Amino acid sequence: MHSTIGSEPILLDPTRAAFGSSDTLATLGPTHFIGVGGAGMSVLAEMLNEEGVEVSGSDRQANAKTDRLTALGIKVYIGQRAENVKGAHTVVYSSAIKPDNPEIVAAALAGAHIVHRSDILALLMASKCAVSVAGAHGKTTTSSLISHILVNAGAEADSDANAQAGAQAVTLADPSYAIGGSIQGPDGVAIDGGHAGGGDVLVAEADESDGSFEKYRPQFALITNAEADHLDHYGDAEHYQRAFVEYARHAKGYVVMSIDDEGAQAIVRALPAEVAARTICYTTRTVNDIDEIIDVQDIDSFDGARHAGSGAKAEDLADNTVQAAVAVSSALARPQLVHILSEQESAGAGTERFTIELPAGFAGVEQERRVPVALRIPGIHNARNATAAIIVATLLGMDPALAARTAATFRGASRRFEVNGVVDGVTVVDDYAHHPTEIAALLDAARRRYPDCAIRVLFQPHLFSRTKFFVERFAAALAKADDVVVAPIFPARERQEDFPGITSQVIVDAAAGLRHDPPQRWILASQDLQGGAETLVRHSNPGDVLITVGAGDVTAMDAAMLEMLKARAQESH
């Protein structure tokens, strides 16, 4: 992206590193964030503020994030104007900001250092034991789970380590974290997603949407999955996967990744030998499936892992239980195994039960060890997320059983299967899912948690480009609901005129004629969110579950639907 000042272009390249090895937070000077009300930007602004950096920011309109920053004493301008950046030494932008933004132009004229948000995060990582979490889905939940485990059990783990060894290499208590959402603690009280802690660990989401995550040099690099997305930037799945390989290559320590999707499988096969040798994989697949995913010929240690995995007795595989066997790679050229053997029925009562099997030798454990987990957040995808979080906590030095017990108290990240209320027997849930695979996983989890309820969805597509790329898959995923209303597309950084003919109606048209299980009564497009919410409420009955789905402003409809349900209940009485 570029604009010009006279004949000189202003280039905004998120993939270009803006800082060198000698740069620190102390070199930033007064720092201004353009679009500070965004989830990722507000977290970084708050962290810099906690670190003592002079911070300001601007956004097109006020929201809960800008209100919070203002309450912290950060100067926030509503509206983006050239004068807002006066005096700023460093100006931070996100990929949603264009080169002709008046604040970008003014910053360039003033000679300010213009940096992408990923540069600030990379700078924060450099001074910590960093854990970065990348992936098409599950980044926020997984990074929130890791943070939750460290916040609530880090001090106990530090105490245990000190008692046993006399010293702890990494202090786990009071971690720093940069997460694009709030975290609900054991008591249900939400804590914000940005915190500069006094401990040694920094947990951060690594956004792959623009390729900027290749700048990071974390101690632990997680990949929750790598199903192709953001093809408006990458063009095709191959370039998308290459970016993940580069991201993994930059890890200073372990790479921890799922291999349950084809994209991740392609990545693990493409890892350089020295990276593969320090990669830990986790999966719900069977041993035979793993044979086809990873070349395991002549790897003697894999046979031990295979024996351990296949030796599980049928009576050990209780209903509603995921068996997760995790194998760590050796000095060999390829990762050994990540095993999640699973077969479960409905989670019932909202609890997702599974067991992690840690093989002998993993993180210093001499014997194979089974660690049971019972999550409050439903779905196989969350069993994977929690497995990744517990692996990382164990590698950091925490006892895996302690990590698992703490994960069990996690109530979820904001907008991830967030139950916002029940009125007259109708449950209203909000979820951030905006990719077909995420929507399918969400609706599967809803069926597991509410097996006898009608599931009705208000879906707001996010981006014209994503809708165009995945229209058939959106239709198939939404077919898992009973009834669906598709709201107008949330444009974010895109313009309708660049995508003629791409509206929410294309998803409705693609759904026509699909077989639905359960049989779907209707899927239709609405003219606006409010109308879609009214339609869902009008057709709801006691016992139903209404879910708002999408990464845009559809979340505001939860409060609206709860009010409609209250009004309807009062009228009926």
Side-chain angles (χ1 to χ4, degrees):
M1 297 189 296
H2 71 274
S3 183
T4 60
I5 297 179
S7 60
E8 295 296 318
I10 301 175
L11 299 177
L12 298 183
D13 181 2
T15 64
R16 179 181 59 84
F19 297 115
S21 58
S22 61
D23 287 308
T24 66
L25 296 179
T27 64
L28 289 175
T31 300
H32 181 83
F33 286 79
I34 307 175
V36 75
M41 295 285 272
S42 65
V43 164
L44 295 178
E46 183 168 344
M47 291 187 72
L48 291 191
N49 181 66
E50 287 196 36
E51 292 284 1
V53 177
E54 182 183 339
V55 176
S56 65
S58 65
D59 215 306
R60 298 184 186 279
Q61 58 187 17
N63 61 22
K65 297 291 187 183
T66 60
D67 291 345
R68 175 178 172 81
L69 295 175
T70 299
L72 292 173
I74 296 172
K75 178 62 178 177
V76 177
Y77 302 93
I78 302 305
Q80 294 175 355
R81 296 176 292 273
E83 56 265 31
N84 294 346
V85 299
K86 185 177 180 180
H89 292 183
T90 304
V91 173
V92 188
Y93 71 95
S94 71
S95 296
I97 302 301
K98 308 301 181 187
D100 59 357
N101 182 284
E103 296 184 10
I104 289 287
V105 174
L109 283 169
H113 195 187
I114 301 173
V115 306
H116 188 258
R117 64 172 298 275
S118 58
D119 292 299
I120 299 296
L121 184 52
L123 204 59
L124 287 163
M125 284 186 183
S127 62
K128 295 282 188 178
C129 176
V131 180
S132 61
V133 183
H137 333 295
K139 288 189 294 290
T140 298
T141 297
T142 303
S143 54
S144 296
L145 267 162
I146 297 168
S147 302
H148 173 87
I149 290 170
L150 297 181
V151 166
N152 291 283
E156 181 178 346
D158 290 341
S159 176
D160 289 344
N162 289 333
Q164 294 173 15
Q168 165 95 352
V170 177
T171 301
L172 303 186
D174 193 21
S176 301
Y177 43 86
I179 302 166
S182 60
I183 308 167
Q184 298 182 69
D187 55 3
V189 176
I191 57 176
D192 202 73
H195 174 60
D200 295 330
V201 181
L202 166 62
V203 183
E205 290 187 49
D207 180 13
E208 78 281 2
S209 65
D210 52 18
S212 61
F213 73 146
E214 295 178 34
K215 298 175 185 175
Y216 303 147
R217 303 293 189 272
Q219 189 67 29
F220 300 92
L222 267 68
I223 301 174
T224 58
N225 46 62
E227 191 169 23
D229 197 2
H230 307 295
L231 299 184
D232 55 326
H233 173 78
Y234 290 101
D236 56 40
E238 182 179 354
H239 286 88
Y240 180 76
Q241 291 158 9
R242 285 180 187 173
F244 275 94
V245 173
E246 189 69 11
Y247 162 76
R249 193 176 68 80
H250 292 161
K252 297 176 183 178
Y254 286 104
V255 176
V256 179
M257 63 181 293
S258 168
I259 47 172
D260 275 0
D261 64 281
E262 292 182 3
Q265 293 161 20
I267 289 166
V268 78
R269 288 193 293 265
L271 290 176
E274 67 90 13
V275 179
R278 48 191 171 86
T279 296
I280 299 170
C281 297
Y282 56 97
T283 180
T284 58
R285 293 174 178 268
T286 66
V287 171
N288 290 336
D289 288 337
I290 297 298
D291 284 344
E292 299 177 4
I293 294 170
I294 302 176
D295 180 9
V296 295
Q297 295 181 0
D298 300 324
I299 298 181
D300 294 337
S301 58
F302 180 79
D303 292 332
R306 177 203 301 275
H307 178 75
S310 60
K313 299 178 181 179
E315 56 266 29
D316 294 333
L317 301 178
D319 288 345
N320 311 324
T321 299
V322 178
Q323 295 291 331
V326 182
V328 63
S329 60
S330 66
L332 299 167
R334 299 195 67 80
Q336 292 307 288
L337 174 66
V338 175
H339 209 65
I340 303 175
L341 296 174
S342 67
E343 207 50 60
Q344 73 251 0
E345 304 299 328
S346 166
T351 302
E352 194 70 43
R353 300 181 183 276
F354 59 102
T355 299
I356 300 175
E357 290 186 356
L358 300 175
F362 174 77
V365 178
E366 294 183 0
Q367 297 181 337
E368 177 185 309
R369 184 173 177 182
R370 292 188 176 187
V371 182
V373 188
L375 292 181
R376 295 185 180 188
I377 50 176
I380 298 299
H381 60 298
N382 281 322
R384 295 188 187 98
N385 295 336
T387 296
I390 293 167
I391 289 171
V392 169
T394 304
L395 292 173
L396 283 168
M398 184 178 293
D399 183 88
L402 173 59
R405 289 196 303 273
T406 311
T409 66
F410 181 66
R411 292 176 177 267
S414 61
R415 299 214 59 211
R416 272 67 177 183
F417 214 101
E418 187 171 1
V419 178
N420 284 319
V422 180
V423 175
D424 199 26
V426 179
T427 302
V428 177
V429 178
D430 184 39
D431 198 275
Y432 191 72
H434 54 282
H435 183 282
T437 299
E438 294 171 345
I439 294 170
L442 162 67
L443 294 176
D444 285 342
R447 289 288 177 207
R448 292 165 57 75
R449 184 162 181 173
Y450 303 104
D452 301 318
C453 300
I455 308 295
R456 308 182 193 277
V457 167
L458 174 60
F459 172 54
Q460 182 187 47
H462 187 264
L463 297 177
F464 299 106
S465 58
R466 185 180 282 118
T467 304
K468 178 181 178 181
F469 286 131
F470 298 128
V471 58
E472 300 291 341
R473 292 182 58 193
F474 275 127
L478 290 167
K480 291 176 174 286
D482 291 284
D483 302 311
V484 180
V485 177
V486 185
I489 296 169
F490 187 83
R493 59 185 178 269
E494 297 179 341
R495 300 179 302 177
Q496 172 74 80
E497 54 264 35
D498 294 331
F499 297 88
I502 302 300
T503 68
S504 56
Q505 186 62 43
V506 300
I507 296 175
V508 175
D509 293 343
L514 285 180
R515 276 189 74 179
H516 302 279
D517 185 18
Q520 197 167 28
R521 286 182 284 277
W522 40 262
I523 176 169
L524 51 87
S526 67
Q527 296 300 312
D528 54 53
L529 283 172
Q530 183 70 23
E534 291 172 355
T535 299
L536 236 59
V537 169
R538 187 166 59 251
H539 289 85
S540 66
N541 300 301
D544 288 359
V545 178
L546 311 185
I547 311 179
T548 52
V549 180
D553 54 0
V554 67
T555 182
M557 291 300 101
D558 280 54
M561 289 194 296
L562 288 168
E563 287 302 316
M564 293 178 206
L565 289 165
K566 289 176 184 176
R568 188 180 71 177
Q570 290 172 356
E571 290 175 3
S572 64
H573 296 140

